[in-house]
Amino acid sequence: MALRTILEFPDPRLRTRAAPVTRFDAALSTLIEDMFQTMYAAPGIGLAATQVDVHLRVIVIDVSKDHKEPVTLINPEIIAREGEASTEEGCLSVPGIFDEVKRAAKVRVRSHDRKGKAHERDYEDILAICIQHEMDHLDGKLFVDYLSDLKRERIRKKLEKERRERATRPAANSTGARRAY
Ligand code: NI
């Protein structure tokens, strides 16, 4: 297993539309293991392959506190949505920024597992939100796209300033109790 580098906004590679997975092989399993390791180390509760510069439709999620509920979704498709929820979201590709986004409260998702077997399952609460957030990544979309142009521009400038400062002194990589994906 290996830690992968997480791309950060406004890196244009985050705007890539990911391709469906067609080969369910050892390389795919390695990617998934690396993604879990990278997500847990960040720390985060979700990660899309897009964020580690691999443009395949793969997402990993674990919203548990003790890394005990790993969820892997390959080629995910939302086949039903219900309700509406507004959640303060964070993203590993937009470090330290949190803002409210409205999404469906419940989703039914069809996806493949790492062996290529198809599954259908209902998700709600933070899992439903996280899945929608990660699926946006696979289409080159970020949660800051839901905010105003002014806000997004302010975030871009803040992150650029922080990256410049990080070059001269070590990062304090803490987001407190809030969780990013
Ligand atoms: Ni994200």
Side-chain angles (χ1 to χ4, degrees):
M1 290 201 295
L3 282 180
R4 309 243 182 157
T5 303
I6 298 176
L7 302 177
E8 292 184 5
F9 174 72
D11 193 309
R13 290 171 290 181
L14 286 167
R15 299 308 188 176
T16 313
R17 191 178 159 81
V21 170
T22 53
R23 261 178 277 168
F24 296 84
D25 55 8
L28 177 66
S29 283
T30 301
L31 169 66
I32 292 165
E33 293 311 316
D34 287 357
M35 285 174 63
F36 272 111
Q37 197 190 1
T38 304
M39 177 186 78
Y40 289 139
I45 59 167
L47 189 71
T50 310
Q51 292 176 277
V52 293
D53 202 22
V54 175
H55 302 287
L56 290 171
R57 305 189 82 80
V58 179
I59 68 184
V60 298
I61 295 173
D62 191 336
V63 300
S64 73
K65 284 201 168 62
D66 46 7
H67 304 179
K68 291 261 173 63
E69 293 161 32
V71 175
T72 305
L73 301 174
I74 300 165
N75 302 332
E77 273 177 85
I78 294 178
I79 54 174
R81 305 164 192 269
E82 205 185 302
E84 195 178 75
S86 187
T87 312
E88 188 186 54
E89 297 191 13
C91 179
L92 294 173
S93 294
V94 194
I97 306 294
F98 296 85
D99 217 317
E100 295 276 325
V101 178
K102 264 188 207 155
R103 300 188 189 270
K106 293 182 186 181
V107 289
R108 185 164 184 83
V109 178
R110 186 183 292 150
S111 65
H112 290 105
D113 63 22
R114 67 173 77 189
K115 289 183 176 152
K117 192 168 178 284
H119 297 269
E120 244 179 62
R121 232 196 97 178
D122 294 312
Y123 297 91
E124 56 184 21
D125 301 324
I126 183 65
L127 260 177
I129 301 304
C130 197
I131 287 170
Q132 292 170 84
H133 175 116
E134 302 310 333
M135 285 181 65
D136 272 354
H137 277 303
L138 301 181
D139 289 330
K141 195 167 181 181
L142 296 164
F143 88 97
V144 293
D145 297 346
Y146 295 100
L147 310 178
S148 69
D149 290 351
L150 183 70
K151 241 183 189 177
R152 194 165 48 257
E153 184 56 17
R154 211 181 291 148
I155 290 167
R156 189 184 65 74
K157 283 187 179 145
K158 183 171 186 279
L159 293 183
E160 259 162 24
K161 181 166 175 272
E162 282 170 3
R163 271 192 287 273
R164 276 198 306 275
E165 289 172 358
R166 235 190 283 164
T168 53
R169 61 182 164 79
N173 192 18
S174 172
T175 54
R178 291 147 129 193
R179 302 193 291 177
Y181 32 112

